[in-house]
Amino acid sequence: MDELIYVIPKEMHNSCDLKKILNEHPEIRFVSLVGIDLGGNATDEKIPVKAFLEDLDDFLKNGIQTDGSSVVLHEIASLNNARVDLVPDLDVNWFIDYNYDYIEDNLPVGTLEIPSFLIHNGKRVDSRSILLKAVNNFKNKIMDILKTYPHILKNIGINDVSDIEDVVLTCATELEFWVKTPDDKADIEKLSTSQMLKEQYWKRTHGTVRTALEKTLILLDKYNLEPEMGHKEVGGVSSKISIKGKTTYVLEQLEVDWKYSNPIQAADNELIVREIVEDTFRRYGLEVTFMAKPLEGVAGNGEHTHVGVSVKLKDGKTKNLFSPLDMKKDYLSEIGYGALMGLLKNYEALNPFITSSNDAFNRLKPGFEAPVCIVASLGIDVENPTRNRSVLVGVIRDLDSPLATRFELRSPNPLSNTYLVIASMYQAMLDGILAVAKSKKSAKELEKEISKQAGDESFYLEKNRAYRSEEDVFEHFTEEERNALFSKPPATVYENILNLKKYEDKTKVLLDGDVFTEEIINSFIASSIERWETELKDRILVDNINFLRECKKVHDIEEATDLDIVRWEKINNLRQYMMKNSLDRKCLFTRLKEALDNKDYCLASSLQLEMYSKINEINKLYIEYKRNLFNI
């Protein structure tokens, strides 16, 4: 397998080099154009290499056509105007995806995956295009800001804006995921206890999990992704060994990290990493899930997203725009404070693109190291960088390495649309940087601004909000205090989507530079609501009905105590309330379904929360009920 190639760099995206490569590697049998729609879905099709080579130049320039019904572009690609073109992106790495279950001539069959743009009516309408526009907009606007307000360069150590050759944006994501042996059911109580005791966190992997993890890291290196670490995360229980020596009852949470890149490449890299992880673990008989919250009651999967901004100077040096001249005097430069303030102030408009599914909201709950408050941590003091895991945004600093300064957004999950997450982040940061530049405030003054108390006036941040905490916000504040200080977070997809209309000024930040457009945002809103509605009606309701049907009376009347009878009656009354209609009363499930059918989304959102609350109550009661019985 040493003769396999895994990456075709952008320098070789020409007909001459591609023909040579594909002729020398007949194991690459197919080509797939990978476009990312507004739902974060990646297209995949199998085009024989022979067809790809027949008119290669035209293919590279014009790509192929597809039907808009196959991608999430609501209100853009309509039934009477459904043509969408898939056009290759020639400026990023192309990866070869190998099928190790299909071997020919001792080599796996490969598919050349080409990241592409989706074009409708001559306009790019896909997630990759939005991120590309955000990158270009940030680079252009930040240079305009530096030219107009050159004073903000002083605390970075740059004498004149003319010394700058290029603006360099960097991003990285961390991928968490659960692995399990098929058909094994989770014991939530054991998982929860193990998590509380930190029994799995960063522990040594064993058996097939170890083999699959090591194989994954080796493959990532072959793809030039420069893996940095693979380890166990907080969730999981110890696996078992069968009589035949096989690893059984695997249920573990893992994390894989790799090197940063430019924003577009970083998001593309994440796609291939997910494919490698899923395929590799599956070859070892393990299922992988990237769901934000695959199991209730234990930690979900996060995908912390890191962003940074530097400039390359004409003398060859690189300066981090977020790092101050004296790392032991200031946490951040003026530009750094502006970027952080922009993220926090405008987060309500970012959140719909980050937390866009029912699954994502299931993860964002207090108690599982998932952020729910719009608040940042700078560090306990300037000389002691800290990692507060309870906040939304962390400032990552290394006193000995100013180039490492960056922001870590902790709310995304592995199924968040990373292209839109990063695009919205850079748009929000740009807004804050411009406001800070106009204010002409020093780094120390800006530190006071972001550390302000709720009720204090601010030139940019909202008066009745606080934005910084070095405490564990879940332990130090009550829910009421958190909501008052950091704003009440949305609890459903619909509540989150409403923020795009509720906070019009913040949504306008996304529109700056025509990065997001009204058409794109409306399409995203329509697709998000449709997905929320469909999943709620056809999956979550069905699952909850099945759960309630499984909650059966199991006590023997002769052995039951009064407590058993009372508990069961309470459980059964809740079951009746939730899913049993009568002549004079509609159950909760029926009212929720009717609200969705009638497009009364506000009522449906409220009933969804009530449903979750009742299901959790029944689940706890049923566990207590069975725990008190001898025979079940």
Side-chain angles (χ1 to χ4, degrees), residues 289-361:
T289 179
F290 300 113
M291 288 181 63
K293 194 73 168 179
L295 298 167
E296 276 298 324
V298 292
N301 291 323
E303 187 180 73
H304 305 159
T305 301
H306 298 248
V307 294
V309 181
S310 300
V311 289
K312 182 180 178 183
L313 303 182
K314 292 177 180 177
D315 62 5
K317 294 180 181 178
T318 299
K319 292 284 187 179
N320 189 326
L321 293 186
F322 294 164
S323 292
L325 205 53
D326 187 345
M327 293 286 287
K328 294 185 178 181
K329 178 184 176 184
D330 296 310
Y331 289 102
L332 294 166
S333 67
E334 289 83 350
I335 293 175
Y337 279 116
L340 181 57
M341 289 180 181
L343 279 175
L344 296 172
K345 181 183 178 181
N346 296 300
Y347 188 73
E348 284 91 351
L350 276 63
N351 198 14
F353 300 98
I354 296 168
T355 311
S356 59
S357 67
N358 290 297
D359 173 47
F361 273 98

Coordinates of all heavy atoms in Angstrom, one line a residue, residues 289-361:
T289 N -20.4 7.5 16.3 CA -21.5 8.6 16.2 C -20.9 9.9 16.5 O -20.1 10.1 17.5 CB -22.7 8.3 17.1 OG1 -23.6 9.4 16.9 CG2 -22.3 8.3 18.5
F290 N -21.2 10.9 15.6 CA -20.8 12.3 15.8 C -21.9 13.1 16.4 O -21.8 14.4 16.4 CB -20.2 12.9 14.5 CG -19.1 12.2 13.9 CD1 -19.2 11.5 12.7 CD2 -17.8 12.2 14.6 CE1 -18.1 10.8 12.2 CE2 -16.7 11.5 14.1 CZ -16.9 10.8 12.9
M291 N -23.0 12.5 16.8 CA -24.1 13.2 17.3 C -23.7 14.1 18.5 O -22.8 13.7 19.3 CB -25.2 12.3 17.8 CG -26.0 11.6 16.6 SD -27.3 10.5 17.3 CE -28.4 11.7 18.1
A292 N -24.3 15.2 18.6 CA -23.9 16.1 19.7 C -24.3 15.5 21.1 O -23.5 15.7 22.1 CB -24.7 17.5 19.6
K293 N -25.4 14.8 21.2 CA -25.8 14.2 22.4 C -26.3 12.8 22.1 O -27.6 12.6 22.2 CB -26.8 15.0 23.1 CG -27.1 14.7 24.5 CD -26.0 15.1 25.5 CE -26.4 15.0 26.9 NZ -25.3 15.4 27.8
P294 N -25.5 11.8 21.9 CA -26.0 10.5 21.6 C -26.6 9.8 22.8 O -27.5 8.9 22.6 CB -24.7 9.7 21.1 CG -23.6 10.5 21.6 CD -24.0 11.9 21.7
L295 N -26.2 10.1 24.0 CA -26.7 9.5 25.2 C -27.1 10.6 26.2 O -26.3 11.4 26.5 CB -25.7 8.6 25.8 CG -25.2 7.4 25.0 CD1 -23.9 6.8 25.6 CD2 -26.3 6.4 24.8
E296 N -28.3 10.5 26.7 CA -28.8 11.4 27.7 C -28.1 11.1 29.0 O -27.9 9.9 29.3 CB -30.3 11.4 27.9 CG -31.0 12.2 26.9 CD -30.7 13.7 27.1 OE1 -30.5 14.2 28.2 OE2 -30.6 14.4 26.0
G297 N -27.8 12.1 29.8 CA -27.3 11.8 31.2 C -25.8 11.8 31.2 O -25.2 11.7 32.3
V298 N -25.1 11.8 30.1 CA -23.6 11.8 30.1 C -23.1 12.8 29.1 O -23.9 13.4 28.3 CB -23.0 10.4 29.7 CG1 -23.3 9.4 30.9 CG2 -23.6 9.9 28.4
A299 N -21.8 13.0 29.0 CA -21.3 14.1 28.2 C -21.6 13.8 26.7 O -21.5 12.7 26.2 CB -19.7 14.1 28.4
G300 N -21.8 14.9 26.0 CA -22.0 14.9 24.6 C -20.7 15.2 23.8 O -19.7 15.3 24.4
N301 N -20.8 15.2 22.5 CA -19.7 15.5 21.6 C -19.6 16.9 21.3 O -20.5 17.5 20.7 CB -19.8 14.6 20.4 CG -19.6 13.1 20.6 OD1 -18.8 12.7 21.5 ND2 -20.4 12.3 19.9
G302 N -18.5 17.5 21.6 CA -18.2 18.9 21.2 C -17.2 19.0 20.1 O -16.6 18.0 19.7
E303 N -17.1 20.1 19.4 CA -16.1 20.3 18.4 C -15.7 21.8 18.6 O -16.0 22.7 17.8 CB -16.7 20.1 17.0 CG -15.6 20.2 16.0 CD -16.2 19.9 14.6 OE1 -16.9 20.8 14.0 OE2 -16.0 18.9 14.0
H304 N -14.8 22.0 19.6 CA -14.3 23.3 19.9 C -13.6 23.9 18.6 O -12.8 23.2 18.0 CB -13.4 23.3 21.1 CG -14.0 22.7 22.3 ND1 -13.3 22.1 23.3 CD2 -15.3 22.5 22.6 CE1 -14.1 21.7 24.2 NE2 -15.3 21.9 23.8
T305 N -13.9 25.1 18.3 CA -13.4 25.7 17.1 C -12.5 26.9 17.4 O -12.9 27.8 18.1 CB -14.6 26.2 16.2 OG1 -15.4 25.1 15.9 CG2 -14.1 26.8 14.9
H306 N -11.3 26.8 16.9 CA -10.2 27.8 17.2 C -10.0 28.7 16.0 O -9.9 28.3 14.9 CB -8.9 27.1 17.6 CG -9.0 26.2 18.8 ND1 -8.3 26.5 19.9 CD2 -9.7 25.1 19.0 CE1 -8.6 25.6 20.8 NE2 -9.4 24.7 20.3
V307 N -10.0 30.0 16.3 CA -9.7 31.0 15.2 C -8.6 32.0 15.6 O -8.5 32.4 16.8 CB -11.0 31.8 14.8 CG1 -12.0 30.8 14.2 CG2 -11.6 32.5 16.0
G308 N -7.8 32.3 14.7 CA -6.7 33.3 14.9 C -6.5 34.2 13.7 O -7.0 33.9 12.6
V309 N -5.8 35.3 14.0 CA -5.5 36.3 12.9 C -4.1 36.8 13.1 O -3.7 37.3 14.1 CB -6.5 37.5 12.9 CG1 -6.1 38.4 11.7 CG2 -7.9 37.1 12.8
S310 N -3.3 36.7 12.0 CA -1.9 37.2 12.0 C -1.7 38.0 10.7 O -2.5 38.0 9.8 CB -0.9 36.0 12.1 OG -1.1 35.2 13.3
V311 N -0.6 38.6 10.7 CA -0.1 39.3 9.5 C 1.3 38.9 9.2 O 2.1 38.7 10.1 CB -0.2 40.9 9.6 CG1 -1.7 41.3 9.6 CG2 0.5 41.4 10.8
K312 N 1.6 38.7 7.9 CA 2.9 38.5 7.5 C 3.5 39.8 7.0 O 2.9 40.5 6.2 CB 2.9 37.5 6.3 CG 4.3 37.1 5.8 CD 4.2 36.1 4.6 CE 5.6 35.8 4.1 NZ 5.5 34.8 3.0
L313 N 4.7 40.1 7.6 CA 5.3 41.4 7.2 C 6.3 41.2 6.1 O 6.7 40.1 5.7 CB 6.1 41.9 8.5 CG 5.3 42.1 9.7 CD1 6.2 42.6 10.8 CD2 4.1 43.0 9.5
K314 N 6.6 42.3 5.4 CA 7.5 42.2 4.3 C 8.9 41.8 4.6 O 9.6 41.4 3.7 CB 7.5 43.6 3.6 CG 6.1 44.0 3.0 CD 6.1 45.4 2.4 CE 4.8 45.7 1.8 NZ 4.7 47.1 1.2
D315 N 9.3 41.9 5.9 CA 10.6 41.4 6.3 C 10.6 40.0 6.6 O 11.6 39.4 7.1 CB 11.1 42.3 7.4 CG 10.3 42.1 8.7 OD1 9.3 41.3 8.7 OD2 10.6 42.8 9.7
G316 N 9.5 39.3 6.4 CA 9.4 37.8 6.6 C 8.8 37.5 8.0 O 8.5 36.3 8.2
K317 N 8.7 38.4 8.9 CA 8.2 38.1 10.3 C 6.7 38.0 10.2 O 6.0 38.5 9.3 CB 8.6 39.2 11.2 CG 10.1 39.3 11.5 CD 10.5 40.4 12.4 CE 12.0 40.5 12.6 NZ 12.3 41.7 13.6
T318 N 6.2 37.3 11.3 CA 4.8 37.1 11.4 C 4.4 37.7 12.8 O 5.0 37.5 13.8 CB 4.3 35.6 11.4 OG1 4.7 35.1 10.1 CG2 2.9 35.5 11.6
K319 N 3.3 38.5 12.8 CA 2.8 39.1 14.0 C 1.3 38.7 14.2 O 0.5 38.7 13.3 CB 2.8 40.6 13.9 CG 4.2 41.2 13.9 CD 4.8 41.2 15.3 CE 6.2 41.9 15.4 NZ 6.8 41.9 16.7
N320 N 1.0 38.2 15.4 CA -0.4 37.8 15.8 C -1.1 39.1 16.2 O -0.7 39.8 17.1 CB -0.3 36.8 17.0 CG -1.7 36.2 17.3 OD1 -2.7 36.9 17.1 ND2 -1.7 35.0 17.7
L321 N -2.2 39.4 15.5 CA -2.9 40.6 15.7 C -3.7 40.6 17.1 O -4.1 41.6 17.5 CB -3.9 40.9 14.6 CG -3.3 41.2 13.2 CD1 -4.4 41.7 12.3 CD2 -2.3 42.4 13.3
F322 N -3.8 39.4 17.6 CA -4.5 39.3 18.9 C -3.6 39.5 20.1 O -4.0 39.7 21.3 CB -5.2 38.0 19.1 CG -6.4 37.8 18.1 CD1 -6.9 36.5 17.9 CD2 -6.9 38.8 17.4 CE1 -8.0 36.3 17.0 CE2 -8.0 38.7 16.6 CZ -8.5 37.4 16.4
S323 N -2.2 39.3 19.9 CA -1.3 39.4 21.0 C -0.7 40.8 21.2 O -0.3 41.5 20.3 CB -0.1 38.4 20.7 OG -0.5 37.1 20.7
P324 N -0.7 41.2 22.5 CA -0.1 42.5 22.8 C 1.4 42.5 22.7 O 2.0 41.4 22.7 CB -0.6 42.8 24.2 CG -0.7 41.4 24.8 CD -1.1 40.5 23.7
L325 N 2.0 43.6 22.7 CA 3.5 43.7 22.7 C 4.1 43.1 23.9 O 5.1 42.4 23.8 CB 3.9 45.2 22.5 CG 5.3 45.5 21.9 CD1 5.4 44.8 20.6 CD2 5.5 47.0 21.8
D326 N 3.5 43.3 25.1 CA 4.0 42.7 26.3 C 2.9 41.7 26.8 O 1.9 42.1 27.3 CB 4.2 43.8 27.3 CG 4.8 43.3 28.6 OD1 4.9 42.1 28.8 OD2 5.3 44.2 29.4
M327 N 3.2 40.4 26.7 CA 2.2 39.4 27.0 C 2.0 39.3 28.6 O 1.0 38.8 29.0 CB 2.7 38.0 26.5 CG 2.8 37.9 25.0 SD 1.1 37.7 24.3 CE 0.7 36.0 24.8
K328 N 2.9 39.9 29.3 CA 2.8 39.9 30.8 C 2.1 41.2 31.3 O 1.9 41.3 32.5 CB 4.1 39.7 31.5 CG 4.7 38.3 31.2 CD 6.0 38.1 31.9 CE 6.6 36.7 31.7 NZ 7.8 36.4 32.4
K329 N 1.8 42.1 30.4 CA 1.1 43.3 30.8 C -0.4 43.3 30.4 O -1.2 43.7 31.2 CB 1.8 44.5 30.1 CG 1.1 45.8 30.4 CD 1.8 47.0 29.6 CE 1.1 48.3 29.8 NZ 1.7 49.4 29.0
D330 N -0.7 42.8 29.2 CA -2.1 42.8 28.7 C -2.4 41.3 28.3 O -1.6 40.6 27.8 CB -2.2 43.7 27.5 CG -2.0 45.1 27.9 OD1 -2.6 45.6 28.8 OD2 -1.2 45.8 27.2
Y331 N -3.7 41.0 28.5 CA -4.2 39.7 28.0 C -4.2 39.7 26.4 O -3.8 38.7 25.8 CB -5.7 39.5 28.4 CG -5.8 39.2 29.9 CD1 -6.2 40.2 30.8 CD2 -5.5 38.0 30.4 CE1 -6.4 39.9 32.1 CE2 -5.7 37.7 31.8 CZ -6.2 38.7 32.6 OH -6.3 38.4 34.0
L332 N -4.7 40.8 25.8 CA -4.9 40.9 24.4 C -4.5 42.3 23.9 O -4.4 43.2 24.6 CB -6.3 40.7 24.0 CG -6.9 39.3 24.3 CD1 -8.5 39.3 24.2 CD2 -6.4 38.2 23.4
S333 N -4.3 42.4 22.6 CA -4.1 43.6 21.9 C -5.5 44.3 21.8 O -6.5 43.7 22.1 CB -3.5 43.5 20.6 OG -4.4 42.8 19.7
E334 N -5.5 45.6 21.4 CA -6.8 46.2 21.1 C -7.6 45.5 20.1 O -8.8 45.3 20.2 CB -6.5 47.7 20.7 CG -6.0 48.6 21.8 CD -4.5 48.5 22.0 OE1 -3.9 47.6 21.4 OE2 -4.0 49.4 22.7
I335 N -6.9 45.0 19.0 CA -7.6 44.2 18.0 C -8.2 42.9 18.6 O -9.3 42.5 18.3 CB -6.6 43.9 16.8 CG1 -6.3 45.2 16.1 CG2 -7.3 42.9 15.9 CD1 -5.2 45.0 15.0
G336 N -7.4 42.3 19.5 CA -7.9 41.1 20.1 C -9.1 41.3 21.0 O -10.1 40.5 20.9
Y337 N -9.1 42.4 21.7 CA -10.3 42.7 22.5 C -11.5 43.0 21.6 O -12.6 42.6 21.9 CB -10.0 43.9 23.4 CG -9.3 43.6 24.7 CD1 -8.0 44.1 25.0 CD2 -9.8 42.7 25.7 CE1 -7.3 43.8 26.1 CE2 -9.2 42.4 26.8 CZ -7.9 42.9 27.1 OH -7.2 42.6 28.2
G338 N -11.3 43.7 20.5 CA -12.3 44.0 19.6 C -13.0 42.8 19.0 O -14.2 42.6 18.9
A339 N -12.1 41.8 18.6 CA -12.6 40.6 18.0 C -13.4 39.8 19.1 O -14.5 39.2 18.7 CB -11.4 39.7 17.6
L340 N -12.9 39.7 20.3 CA -13.6 39.0 21.4 C -15.0 39.7 21.7 O -16.0 39.0 21.8 CB -12.8 38.9 22.6 CG -13.4 38.2 23.8 CD1 -13.7 36.7 23.4 CD2 -12.4 38.2 25.0
M341 N -15.0 41.0 21.8 CA -16.2 41.7 22.0 C -17.2 41.5 20.9 O -18.4 41.3 21.1 CB -16.0 43.2 22.2 CG -15.3 43.6 23.4 SD -15.0 45.4 23.5 CE -14.1 45.5 25.1
G342 N -16.7 41.4 19.6 CA -17.6 41.2 18.5 C -18.3 39.8 18.6 O -19.5 39.7 18.3
L343 N -17.5 38.8 18.9 CA -18.1 37.5 19.1 C -19.2 37.4 20.1 O -20.2 36.9 19.9 CB -17.0 36.5 19.5 CG -16.0 35.9 18.4 CD1 -15.0 35.1 19.0 CD2 -16.9 35.1 17.4
L344 N -18.9 38.1 21.3 CA -19.9 38.0 22.4 C -21.1 38.8 22.1 O -22.2 38.4 22.4 CB -19.2 38.4 23.7 CG -18.0 37.6 24.2 CD1 -17.3 38.2 25.3 CD2 -18.5 36.2 24.5
K345 N -20.9 40.0 21.6 CA -22.1 40.9 21.4 C -23.0 40.4 20.4 O -24.2 40.5 20.5 CB -21.6 42.3 21.0 CG -22.8 43.3 20.8 CD -22.4 44.7 20.4 CE -23.6 45.5 20.2 NZ -23.2 46.9 19.7
N346 N -22.5 39.8 19.3 CA -23.3 39.4 18.2 C -23.6 37.9 18.2 O -24.2 37.4 17.2 CB -22.5 39.7 16.9 CG -22.3 41.2 16.7 OD1 -23.3 41.9 16.6 ND2 -21.1 41.6 16.6
Y347 N -23.4 37.2 19.3 CA -23.5 35.8 19.3 C -25.0 35.3 19.0 O -25.1 34.2 18.5 CB -23.1 35.2 20.7 CG -23.0 33.7 20.6 CD1 -22.0 33.0 19.9 CD2 -24.0 32.9 21.2 CE1 -22.0 31.6 19.8 CE2 -24.0 31.5 21.1 CZ -23.0 30.9 20.4 OH -23.0 29.5 20.3
E348 N -26.0 36.1 19.4 CA -27.3 35.7 19.1 C -27.6 35.5 17.6 O -28.4 34.6 17.2 CB -28.3 36.7 19.7 CG -28.5 36.7 21.2 CD -27.6 37.6 21.9 OE1 -26.7 38.1 21.2 OE2 -27.7 37.8 23.1
A349 N -26.8 36.2 16.8 CA -27.0 36.0 15.3 C -26.1 34.9 14.8 O -26.4 34.3 13.7 CB -26.6 37.3 14.6
L350 N -25.1 34.5 15.6 CA -24.2 33.4 15.2 C -24.8 32.1 15.6 O -24.7 31.1 14.9 CB -22.8 33.5 15.8 CG -21.8 34.4 15.2 CD1 -22.2 35.9 15.2 CD2 -20.4 34.3 16.0
N351 N -25.4 32.0 16.7 CA -25.9 30.8 17.3 C -26.8 29.9 16.4 O -26.7 28.7 16.4 CB -26.6 31.1 18.7 CG -26.7 29.8 19.5 OD1 -26.1 28.8 19.3 ND2 -27.5 29.9 20.6
P352 N -27.7 30.5 15.6 CA -28.5 29.7 14.7 C -27.7 28.8 13.8 O -28.1 27.7 13.4 CB -29.4 30.7 14.0 CG -29.5 31.8 14.9 CD -28.2 31.9 15.6
F353 N -26.5 29.3 13.4 CA -25.7 28.5 12.5 C -24.8 27.5 13.2 O -24.2 26.6 12.6 CB -24.8 29.5 11.7 CG -25.6 30.5 10.8 CD1 -25.8 31.8 11.3 CD2 -26.1 30.1 9.6 CE1 -26.5 32.7 10.6 CE2 -26.9 31.0 8.9 CZ -27.1 32.3 9.3
I354 N -24.7 27.7 14.5 CA -23.8 26.8 15.3 C -24.7 25.7 16.0 O -24.3 24.5 15.9 CB -23.1 27.6 16.4 CG1 -22.2 28.6 15.7 CG2 -22.4 26.7 17.4 CD1 -21.6 29.7 16.7
T355 N -25.8 26.1 16.5 CA -26.7 25.2 17.2 C -28.0 25.1 16.5 O -28.9 25.8 16.8 CB -26.9 25.6 18.7 OG1 -25.7 26.0 19.3 CG2 -27.6 24.6 19.5
S356 N -28.0 24.2 15.5 CA -29.1 24.3 14.5 C -30.0 23.0 14.5 O -30.8 22.9 13.6 CB -28.5 24.4 13.1 OG -27.6 23.4 12.8
S357 N -29.8 22.1 15.5 CA -30.6 20.9 15.5 C -31.1 20.6 16.9 O -30.6 21.1 17.9 CB -29.8 19.7 14.9 OG -28.7 19.4 15.8
N358 N -32.1 19.7 16.9 CA -32.6 19.2 18.2 C -31.5 18.5 19.0 O -31.3 18.7 20.2 CB -33.8 18.3 18.0 CG -35.0 19.0 17.5 OD1 -35.6 19.8 18.2 ND2 -35.4 18.6 16.3
D359 N -30.7 17.8 18.3 CA -29.6 17.1 18.9 C -28.6 18.0 19.5 O -28.1 17.8 20.6 CB -28.9 16.2 17.8 CG -27.6 15.5 18.3 OD1 -27.6 15.0 19.4 OD2 -26.6 15.6 17.6
A360 N -28.3 19.1 18.8 CA -27.3 20.1 19.3 C -27.8 20.7 20.7 O -27.1 20.9 21.6 CB -27.1 21.2 18.3
F361 N -29.1 21.0 20.7 CA -29.7 21.6 22.0 C -29.7 20.6 23.1 O -29.6 21.0 24.3 CB -31.1 22.1 21.7 CG -31.1 23.5 21.2 CD1 -31.3 23.8 19.9 CD2 -31.0 24.6 22.1 CE1 -31.3 25.1 19.4 CE2 -31.0 25.9 21.6 CZ -31.1 26.2 20.3

